[in-house]
Amino acid sequence: MGLISVNKQEDYTMDKLDLKGKWNEVKGKIKQQYADWTDDDLTYEEGKEDELVGRLQQKMGKTREEVVDWLKGLG
């Protein structure tokens, strides 16, 4: 059994680490779903995950949590 975190920021930090090695794969899946999104929309820089999630939130009209869950599902 794993520990359950009650700290949302800690959960998001774990999500950030998951993006690191597989962003190109995830970006490809996103482009398949949203062909009109540009490389600028999907720019990922290590340490600037909040900016990426913010851009995706605006494009999708979703909450931060919904975007993070969606990204986790793609990875």
Side-chain angles (χ1 to χ4, degrees):
M1 263 190 165
L3 297 174
I4 297 174
S5 172
V6 293
N7 182 334
K8 284 290 181 194
Q9 186 62 36
E10 181 179 323
D11 289 343
Y12 182 63
T13 301
M14 292 173 64
D15 294 334
K16 284 197 251 185
L17 296 174
D18 287 344
L19 286 179
K20 253 187 191 177
K22 54 188 170 184
W23 179 243
N24 285 332
E25 177 185 336
V26 171
K27 185 165 88 169
K29 290 178 182 179
I30 293 171
K31 283 188 166 192
Q32 287 175 354
Q33 290 182 20
Y34 297 95
D36 60 326
W37 288 11
T38 67
D39 285 333
D40 287 341
D41 294 328
L42 301 173
T43 298
Y44 167 74
E45 294 180 48
E46 188 174 338
K48 295 188 177 184
E49 291 85 355
D50 289 339
E51 291 177 19
L52 170 66
V53 172
R55 283 193 307 273
L56 296 179
Q57 275 183 267
Q58 287 180 333
K59 295 290 271 183
M60 299 173 77
K62 305 264 183 195
T63 67
R64 172 181 209 76
E65 187 174 291
E66 289 172 320
V67 170
V68 170
D69 288 345
W70 177 68
L71 287 171
K72 282 177 68 176
L74 293 174

